[in-house]
Amino acid sequence: MEDSSHNVSSVKVELMEVGEEVLPKVDCRAEFAGAGSSDSYPPGMSGRGAMIKKSTVKISSLHIDAKNKRKKKSKVKRTPTLGYTVQQGEDMLLIISNNLQTKACKRRKIRKVRAKLPTAKVKRKTSKAVLKDKVFAQDKELKPIGHHSHEGYGRWGQNLPVEVLVNIFELVVKQEGAIPFLCRAARVCQLWNGAAANPALWCSVTVGYCWIEPGKTQSPKTELKVQDTVRWLAQNRFSQLREFGLCHWKKHVDYVVQVVSQHCPQLSALKLSHCSGVTEKAFQSLGRNCPSLESIDMQYSEVQTEGLVSFLEMHGSRIRKILFTYGVKSDRLLSVLAGGCSPELKLLEINTKLDSGYCQLPICIQALQSGCPKLQVFRMLNVTAMPKMARRGPCSASGFPDLEELCMASSSVSFFMDHDLNTLLHGSPNLRVLDLRGCTRITPAALSMLPCPELECLYWGLYFSSNSMPSSKKGIHLLTEKWSRTLQELDLSSQPFSEQDLEVAMGDLAHSGGAKRLRSLNLSGTKITSNALRSLISQCSGLNYLNLSSCRYLPRGLKKVYRSQEDIQQLLDKLP
């Protein structure tokens, strides 16, 4: 017993020496007394005595580290974070609250914690309890949209002027359109609802059909919903509507046109794209209620020709632009225009789909010149024009003095010849754009004789295979000599001009005073050579489009389309 007491006292002294700076003076006899006899503690303090020694050292070091950390933390001074952010606009300063960001961070943390927790089993509720919860949830969701609309958005949402929000909405409407953006924005809050209802944002509206899925039929409830929606928009939003369009509507077209015309007296442009079922009632309503209507676009739509003809005969003097797709009775519509029902007409376009086949349309050029003397744009896209002589009636000798654009492009056989082109353009000195793609019977000599000194765009490519070969395989230099100073875009795709003729023509474009004005050049399928390209690219610094695909006289790797000035300059380094 004396030895054991001596060992205990020595352990006590050793422990106190190690931890005297941190630990209080504690008697360790009770710990050893509860452990057993003196045989359990061999000399040298092996076993539990050594463990107590090590733990005491660790505890003391931890206490010291904790004190040092507290001292370090107390010295750090944190700058208080501001509860707002200042952003500078063009003519104002916007103060935006940061409460929304902090709340969003808290929500994310809560979601992460909830995701880690195990899912608890939920007892099934009765039908009445479930119904009560659903009603409560709906009320809870609708409250922020109504009275408490600005909760969680900070004071800037309450104090933001409506005029600023209207200007923001106007920028979005120009890019995305009024529908469906304004309809969705009106459901955010009262402030957005008032801004979205501004009539200035509803001046131009295009409505696509989105009530049912493609391929499904309408139910009676859906039809009533469509009509009620259109009527409400016309009565509450379209007071200043000027441009209205429908896309891909197969039903209710007459109803929509009538409702819009009744509530929109300022309507000036109507566009129906890929619509069907347009009858005479729609045109009658337009004639009665829309005195400012001057543009009608019926492209790719099934229109009752008799209704459109009767409208032009009664109200054609208002019309400035008319666009329609080729149909069975298109010749009658063209003859009515040539008769003088629309003397103020400035744009006339007749087109058809590329896969519609052979579309032949007789046209009397002299009668159309006398009936539409102010025409500025005349387009016949993919329609085979059949020029004919006027049997009776007045014929104009002045042509189209205001004509700026002529398009006779065709993807099939073209019967347009040199004398027809001369008859159409003999009095058009202001022509800027001439599109003769597919016109294989036009010669360079006839083009060089046109009285159009300021031509900027000439499209004369061949984009289809035909048995009828071009009437001339040389003379392209006549065109470049005449319009080298004004040309900005030139298309000679698949024209069979010789390499010598093309080299002379490219030299005219490169060494003329207007070399820097050339922007686009299409030489795909031609016999252009590397020498001709080198002289052209080195001088035309503004060229940003060059098509050299399928050019057999160029080395491999260079026959492709170049769409930037950098690519074209790199081509100059690669040319042999």
Side-chain angles (χ1 to χ4, degrees):
M1 293 299 291
E2 293 177 359
D3 298 334
S4 62
S5 61
H6 178 73
N7 294 335
V8 170
S9 60
S10 63
V11 172
K12 177 181 176 182
V13 173
E14 187 175 0
L15 291 174
M16 293 301 295
E17 290 178 356
V18 174
E20 61 183 355
E21 296 181 0
V22 177
L23 297 178
K25 295 182 180 180
V26 181
D27 192 359
C28 298
R29 295 177 185 177
E31 180 72 16
F32 289 102
S37 61
S38 60
D39 298 335
S40 302
Y41 310 100
M45 289 303 296
S46 61
R48 189 169 181 182
M51 292 173 62
I52 293 174
K53 181 179 179 181
K54 293 180 181 178
S55 61
T56 308
V57 176
K58 290 182 179 179
I59 291 172
S60 63
S61 62
L62 288 174
H63 278 280
I64 294 171
D65 294 340
K67 283 187 176 182
N68 294 334
K69 288 183 179 179
R70 289 174 185 173
K71 291 180 180 180
K72 291 180 180 179
K73 288 183 179 179
S74 61
K75 293 180 181 179
V76 178
K77 294 182 180 181
R78 296 183 179 179
T79 56
T81 57
L82 299 177
Y84 58 89
T85 302
V86 180
Q87 293 187 3
Q88 183 176 2
E90 294 182 359
D91 54 354
M92 66 180 67
L93 293 176
L94 295 179
I95 301 177
I96 302 175
S97 175
N98 294 334
N99 295 332
L100 184 60
Q101 298 179 358
T102 57
K103 289 186 177 182
C105 295
K106 292 181 180 179
R107 291 174 185 171
R108 292 172 186 170
K109 292 180 180 179
I110 293 172
R111 289 174 183 172
K112 291 181 180 179
V113 173
R114 288 180 179 177
K116 294 180 180 179
L117 294 176
T119 56
K121 294 183 179 180
V122 182
K123 295 182 179 180
R124 294 184 179 180
K125 297 182 180 180
T126 59
S127 59
K128 293 183 179 180
V130 174
L131 181 61
K132 184 178 180 180
D133 291 345
K134 288 184 178 179
V135 174
F136 178 75
Q138 291 177 0
D139 295 340
K140 191 175 181 181
E141 291 177 358
L142 291 176
K143 280 182 181 179
I145 300 178
H147 300 286
H148 306 285
S149 57
H150 300 290
E151 293 182 0
Y153 291 93
R155 293 184 178 180
W156 74 270
Q158 299 177 3
N159 301 329
L160 184 67
V162 181
E163 294 79 8
V164 176
L165 199 58
V166 170
N167 292 335
I168 296 173
F169 286 177
E170 187 177 1
L171 298 175
V172 180
V173 168
K174 288 181 180 179
Q175 295 182 357
E176 304 294 335
I179 293 178
F181 167 72
L182 293 178
C183 299
R184 294 172 178 173
R187 301 180 61 186
V188 173
C189 61
Q190 290 181 351
L191 178 64
W192 285 42
N193 192 354
N198 194 318
L201 300 175
W202 297 86
C203 294
S204 178
V205 175
T206 301
V207 184
Y209 200 78
C210 57
W211 273 274
I212 60 174
E213 296 180 5
K216 292 187 177 181
T217 58
Q218 291 182 7
S219 62
K221 293 183 179 180
T222 303
E223 293 182 358
L224 292 176
K225 184 178 180 181
V226 172
Q227 295 178 3
D228 293 342
T229 302
V230 173
R231 187 187 306 109
W232 186 89
L233 287 173
Q235 293 175 355
N236 298 277
R237 295 291 185 268
F238 291 171
S239 59
Q240 297 184 13
L241 185 67
R242 291 178 176 83
E243 298 178 0
F244 181 71
L246 290 178
C247 298
H248 300 278
W249 281 60
K250 304 301 179 185
K251 292 184 178 180
H252 313 293
V253 179
D254 271 357
Y255 175 82
V256 173
V257 173
Q258 292 179 31
V259 171
V260 170
S261 61
Q262 291 172 4
H263 295 87
C264 306
Q266 301 182 16
L267 187 67
S268 61
L270 175 64
K271 180 179 180 180
L272 302 178
S273 177
H274 298 87
C275 296
S276 60
V278 186
T279 62
E280 189 175 357
K281 295 181 180 180
F283 293 108
Q284 291 177 356
S285 179
L286 290 171
R288 290 192 305 266
N289 303 312
C290 299
S292 302
L293 185 64
E294 60 180 18
S295 176
I296 298 179
D297 188 351
M298 304 288 177
Q299 296 183 88
Y300 309 108
S301 297
E302 298 178 4
V303 182
Q304 189 177 2
T305 308
E306 290 79 4
L308 183 56
V309 168
S310 60
F311 171 81
L312 291 176
E313 290 176 349
M314 297 180 63
H315 310 284
S317 59
R318 313 173 187 170
I319 303 301
R320 304 291 186 273
K321 300 177 182 180
I322 183 169
L323 302 89
F324 62 93
T325 301
Y326 173 83
V328 179
K329 299 180 180 180
S330 297
D331 55 343
R332 183 180 177 186
L333 183 60
L334 196 60
S335 63
V336 170
L337 294 174
C341 65
S342 300
E344 301 294 328
L345 191 67
K346 295 183 179 180
L347 187 149
L348 174 60
E349 180 175 335
I350 309 169
N351 56 25
T352 186
K353 298 180 181 179
L354 292 176
D355 57 351
S356 58
Y358 182 69
C359 300
Q360 182 177 346
L361 181 62
I363 175 175
C364 182
I365 298 175
Q366 295 88 348
L368 190 63
Q369 288 173 343
S370 60
C372 305
K374 297 183 180 181
L375 198 65
Q376 296 179 358
V377 179
F378 182 33
R379 303 183 187 133
M380 294 187 70
L381 301 174
N382 204 32
V383 178
T384 304
M386 296 292 296
K388 64 178 183 179
M389 298 297 296
R391 297 182 179 179
R392 56 184 179 179
C395 295
S396 176
S398 59
F400 292 116
D402 298 332
L403 193 65
E404 297 179 0
E405 179 181 348
L406 174 64
C407 177
M408 304 298 292
S410 175
S411 61
S412 59
V413 179
S414 175
F415 298 100
F416 213 67
M417 303 183 70
D418 289 347
H419 63 275
D420 300 322
L421 184 64
N422 188 21
T423 303
L424 204 152
L425 295 177
H426 72 277
S428 304
N430 299 322
L431 191 69
R432 298 291 185 272
V433 180
L434 181 59
D435 190 349
L436 299 175
R437 289 172 294 177
C439 297
T440 57
R441 306 191 182 198
I442 302 296
T443 61
L447 287 173
S448 62
M449 297 299 294
L450 293 176
C452 312
E454 303 293 330
L455 192 66
E456 297 177 356
C457 302
L458 175 61
Y459 307 101
W460 198 20
L462 303 179
Y463 293 90
F464 63 94
S465 58
S466 176
N467 295 328
S468 59
M469 296 299 295
S471 57
S472 178
K473 297 182 180 181
K474 58 181 180 179
I476 187 62
H477 63 279
L478 299 176
L479 307 182
T480 54
E481 288 178 359
K482 182 174 183 177
W483 294 312
S484 60
R485 297 179 179 273
T486 60
L487 273 180
Q488 298 181 10
E489 298 183 11
L490 178 61
D491 182 5
L492 299 176
S493 177
S494 302
Q495 285 286 356
F497 297 109
S498 62
E499 56 271 22
Q500 293 82 10
D501 200 1
L502 286 172
E503 189 171 353
V504 174
M506 296 302 107
D508 294 336
L509 293 176
H511 301 293
S512 64
K516 296 182 179 180
R517 300 188 61 183
L518 190 63
R519 299 289 182 269
S520 175
L521 181 61
N522 190 346
L523 299 173
S524 63
T526 61
K527 300 178 182 179
I528 191 70
T529 59
S530 300
N531 295 329
L533 279 177
R534 187 183 297 105
S535 62
L536 178 68
I537 297 174
S538 60
Q539 298 296 328
C540 299
S541 58
L543 191 65
N544 52 30
Y545 177 84
L546 180 61
N547 192 343
L548 300 177
S549 57
S550 303
C551 293
R552 297 183 179 181
Y553 285 68
L554 294 179
R556 293 182 179 180
L558 305 181
K559 307 174 186 179
K560 60 180 182 179
V561 182
Y562 302 87
R563 302 181 183 275
S564 65
Q565 295 182 5
E566 296 179 359
D567 294 344
I568 295 174
Q569 292 301 322
Q570 292 177 4
L571 171 65
L572 182 61
D573 300 334
K574 296 178 182 179
L575 287 174

